[in-house]
Amino acid sequence: MNAAKRLEIFRRLHEDNPDPKTELAYASPFELLIAVILSAQATDVSVNKATARLYPVANTPQAILDLGVEGLSEYIKTIGLYNSKAKNVIETCRLLLERHGGEVPQTREELEALPGVGRKTANVVLNTAFRQLAMAVDTHIFRVSNRTNLAPGKNVVEVELKLLKVVPKAYLLDAHHWLILHGRYVCQARKPRCGSCRIEDLCEYKAKTSDD
């Protein structure tokens, strides 16, 4: 895909949604970090339902640590893999207090040293909470990047690095949100909704669907 097409893709995505946001509900970097940890292999909707109950009771590292694994599990048991997630969150809260004064660190290395925080989670927090240039590639973004030929790659890291290189600089900070929303609602896994896609004429996918 050439640079002119890429520029027009993001121009249109920006035009339709000038201020894109994550669909995870949060009111602080810490709340976002915990929500992203909980969102692994779970929907944002299911995470928001759980945190809507949890955060009014405990929304700081100390408060969640005080709940303990069992206490936290009661709030998040509707989310998949909640047992392992509860253990990771409790340990993350302990480390935030011990190493970072209860604050969420602002570097990838420090974030990835926390239990349950991988490269994608770190990138989401860096980009969304701290507005750093980071590209969190999930299954939606991986699919859209490959299917459209925007930034094809064999794995998520390859796609991430390519996106950072080819997305026009003016749009890079919000590109993660535009691409994830496009993959979630338009360029869906089972059957892309090409008939109602704003960038269909720019997309290089060979097997486009005729209806939406």
Side-chain angles (χ1 to χ4, degrees), residues 5-117:
K5 270 191 182 178
R6 291 193 186 102
L7 182 63
E8 180 60 14
I9 282 173
F10 284 101
R11 190 197 67 76
R12 291 185 196 177
L13 294 175
H14 172 267
E15 185 177 68
D16 290 351
N17 186 4
D19 189 25
K21 297 279 193 288
T22 178
E23 293 188 318
L24 287 169
Y26 73 99
S28 68
F30 175 72
E31 287 188 4
L32 177 66
L33 172 63
I34 300 308
V36 181
I37 292 173
L38 296 178
S39 73
Q41 297 176 50
T43 65
D44 288 0
V45 172
S46 68
V47 173
N48 288 343
K49 283 180 181 174
T51 57
R53 294 175 59 239
L54 171 65
Y55 289 159
V57 175
N59 69 343
T60 64
Q62 188 63 60
I64 289 182
L65 186 62
D66 290 344
L67 289 175
V69 173
E70 283 188 21
L72 176 59
S73 294
E74 281 302 306
Y75 289 97
I76 66 169
K77 62 186 177 184
T78 52
I79 300 173
L81 309 173
Y82 75 91
N83 276 321
S84 60
K85 288 176 182 178
K87 289 173 187 169
N88 283 337
V89 168
I90 290 297
E91 185 63 11
T92 283
C93 289
R94 187 179 69 76
L95 291 175
L96 287 176
L97 290 162
E98 284 182 6
R99 298 178 182 174
H100 305 290
E103 298 296 318
V104 177
Q106 297 188 34
T107 70
R108 181 198 308 285
E109 294 72 28
E110 289 172 312
L111 284 166
E112 287 188 21
L114 300 170
V117 178

Side-chain angles (χ1 to χ4, degrees), residues 155-167:
N155 55 60
V156 291
V157 175
E158 206 173 293
V159 169
E160 174 192 328
L161 297 176
K162 193 168 282 189
L163 283 168
L164 287 170
K165 187 177 175 184
V166 303
V167 173

Side-chain angles (χ1 to χ4, degrees), residues 119-209:
R119 187 180 184 91
K120 186 189 81 175
T121 297
N123 281 337
V124 171
V125 173
L126 291 172
N127 178 256
T128 305
F130 301 123
R131 302 303 281 157
Q132 294 184 25
L133 288 178
M135 185 67 65
V137 177
D138 68 348
T139 54
H140 296 300
I141 295 177
F142 184 77
R143 179 176 66 255
V144 170
S145 297
N146 276 287
R147 188 184 270 168
T148 61
N149 207 32
L150 174 69
K154 294 186 182 70
N155 55 60
V156 291
V157 175
E158 206 173 293
V159 169
E160 174 192 328
L161 297 176
K162 193 168 282 189
L163 283 168
L164 287 170
K165 187 177 175 184
V166 303
V167 173
K169 281 195 170 59
Y171 299 111
L172 195 51
L173 199 56
D174 290 318
H176 158 77
H177 295 307
W178 285 315
L179 293 174
I180 198 170
L181 293 169
H182 190 69
R184 189 172 285 165
Y185 296 111
V186 183
C187 197
Q188 296 169 333
R190 197 167 294 174
K191 185 183 180 186
R193 301 177 64 237
C194 300
S196 59
C197 176
R198 271 279 274 147
I199 60 169
E200 183 191 8
D201 58 315
L202 303 166
C203 170
E204 297 179 2
Y205 182 50
K206 298 285 192 291
K208 290 178 183 171
T209 58

